[in-house]
Amino acid sequence: QVQLVESGGGLVQAGGSLRLSCAASGRTFSRYAIGWFRQAPGKERELVAAINWSGDSAYYSDSMKARFTVSRDNAKNTVDLQMNSLKPEDTAVYRCAASYGSSWHRNADLYAYWGQGTQVTVSS
């Protein structure tokens, strides 16, 4: 079992940057792929980025490519999401989620463990 805690959210102006971190408990963290999801009020949850267990394969939603970077440090049990050139439409609650196995998934139903989320607000 894995417990996830996100941090790093906050209020930032458009064009600014934030670095979110997902800290995991458990000795088997390296056996999980991690996804970052976000949900804005009145909108469906969407996958922002995901990374495989070893960190050498990542997925990004088209609108996040070239602006967001996901990385992980299995020694520290953390997965970070670096977000640059933020836009007001990036405003949402961001949550990390863990899926047992080596590969990342686009389907949220395949992620069994979820953090509580961290709020990101981008002002115009």
Side-chain angles (χ1 to χ4, degrees):
Q1 189 169 356
V2 176
Q3 293 184 328
L4 305 172
V5 178
E6 303 92 340
S7 62
L11 174 64
V12 64
Q13 289 187 333
S17 298
L18 281 175
R19 188 176 185 89
L20 305 184
S21 185
C22 175
S25 64
R27 298 181 178 179
T28 59
F29 174 71
S30 62
R31 298 180 185 177
Y32 290 81
I34 301 295
W36 279 99
F37 294 80
R38 72 184 186 185
Q39 187 165 19
K43 296 187 177 180
E44 293 187 355
R45 179 177 54 194
E46 64 174 330
L47 177 63
V48 173
I51 191 166
N52 72 338
W53 69 278
S54 62
D56 60 4
S57 175
Y59 165 85
Y60 297 93
S61 174
D62 286 344
S63 62
M64 287 69 164
K65 284 181 180 178
R67 297 192 299 127
F68 292 7
T69 303
V70 62
S71 60
R72 70 187 296 161
D73 186 336
N74 286 339
K76 296 181 179 179
N77 280 12
T78 57
V79 174
D80 290 348
L81 182 68
Q82 176 67 42
M83 306 187 296
N84 299 326
S85 302
L86 285 163
K87 305 174 182 180
E89 51 263 43
D90 293 319
T91 295
V93 174
Y94 286 70
R95 301 175 70 186
C96 61
S99 175
Y100 188 81
S102 60
S103 300
W104 48 261
H105 304 285
R106 299 176 64 176
N107 185 349
D109 292 338
L110 297 179
Y111 291 83
Y113 305 103
W114 292 78
Q116 292 299 309
T118 185
Q119 175 70 46
V120 171
T121 303
V122 184
S123 63
S124 58

